[in-house]
Amino acid sequence: MKRFRFRLAALLRYREFQEQQARQAVLEASRVLRECEADLARQQGCLDQARAACEGEALGGMSAERFLLFTRFVAGLETRRDAAQARRQTLLKELAACRRRLADAVVQRQAVEKLKERRQSEYDRDMAKELQKQTEEIVLMHRGRKEKK
């Protein structure tokens, strides 16, 4: 009896490789997003501290020049924070795209695996029929010998 051989094994390995690459891309995008969110939280903390310091100093009285300097500093921090928020939104979109590619890769791999399973079951069924046929032939040959005696 010949052994089962799936002719699309190379395609299955390639689909598994694509899935693994997609998983790594999702993990990398998640890592970058977490770093961006940590950076955003740190920037927000700096902004809150700067505002509190400005308000505290304003209550004690400060010159217009110093107030202008604080205002520019806070505006710069807000600009950086806004840029980080925009980057976070971009990273969220990239992560969603990576997840969609992963889902597609999983579906493609599963399709090839189902084909393999179907071909394996067909092979097993054909082999069982062939074995049954051979068994029946042996039984008939055995009966034929007994009847001749």
Side-chain angles (χ1 to χ4, degrees):
M1 286 195 281
K2 62 181 182 176
R3 291 182 54 203
F4 172 73
R5 183 172 172 260
F6 184 57
R7 294 177 191 243
L8 297 176
L11 177 63
L12 180 59
R13 283 192 307 274
Y14 179 67
R15 296 291 190 218
E16 289 169 347
F17 172 75
Q18 284 181 322
E19 181 182 354
Q20 185 62 30
Q21 292 293 95
R23 282 188 199 286
Q24 289 176 352
V26 167
L27 290 174
E28 178 64 19
S30 296
R31 182 192 62 79
V32 171
L33 180 62
R34 280 193 310 275
E35 288 175 359
C36 179
E37 288 174 342
D39 185 48
L40 184 61
R42 190 172 27 83
Q43 287 181 9
Q44 185 63 43
C46 288
L47 182 61
D48 292 342
Q49 285 178 346
R51 283 182 179 154
C54 181
E55 288 173 4
E57 219 172 294
L59 291 176
M62 75 166 72
S63 67
E65 184 178 309
R66 185 136 173 93
F67 181 75
L68 183 63
L69 187 67
F70 263 118
T71 305
R72 287 182 184 161
F73 178 70
V74 169
L77 289 176
E78 287 174 345
T79 303
R80 281 192 198 170
R81 185 206 54 208
D82 293 343
Q85 285 176 337
R87 182 167 185 259
R88 180 181 178 271
Q89 292 302 317
T90 302
L91 290 174
L92 283 171
K93 289 177 184 175
E94 287 178 17
L95 179 60
C98 286
R99 286 182 175 155
R100 280 191 303 276
R101 282 192 298 272
L102 175 60
D104 291 343
V106 167
V107 166
Q108 290 176 356
R109 178 193 51 83
Q110 287 175 342
V112 176
E113 280 183 348
K114 284 183 180 181
L115 177 62
K116 180 181 179 181
E117 290 170 4
R118 193 169 41 238
R119 296 268 171 89
Q120 176 75 47
S121 66
E122 289 172 3
Y123 171 81
D124 291 342
R125 189 175 52 247
D126 292 344
M127 287 284 95
K129 285 180 183 178
E130 183 66 30
L131 185 60
Q132 181 67 29
K133 182 179 173 184
Q134 289 174 359
T135 305
E136 288 174 1
E137 287 176 2
I138 291 172
V139 168
L140 288 175
M141 284 178 21
H142 218 56
R143 283 185 187 163
R145 286 186 191 163
K146 286 183 178 181
E147 290 175 5
K148 286 182 182 178
K149 289 183 183 181

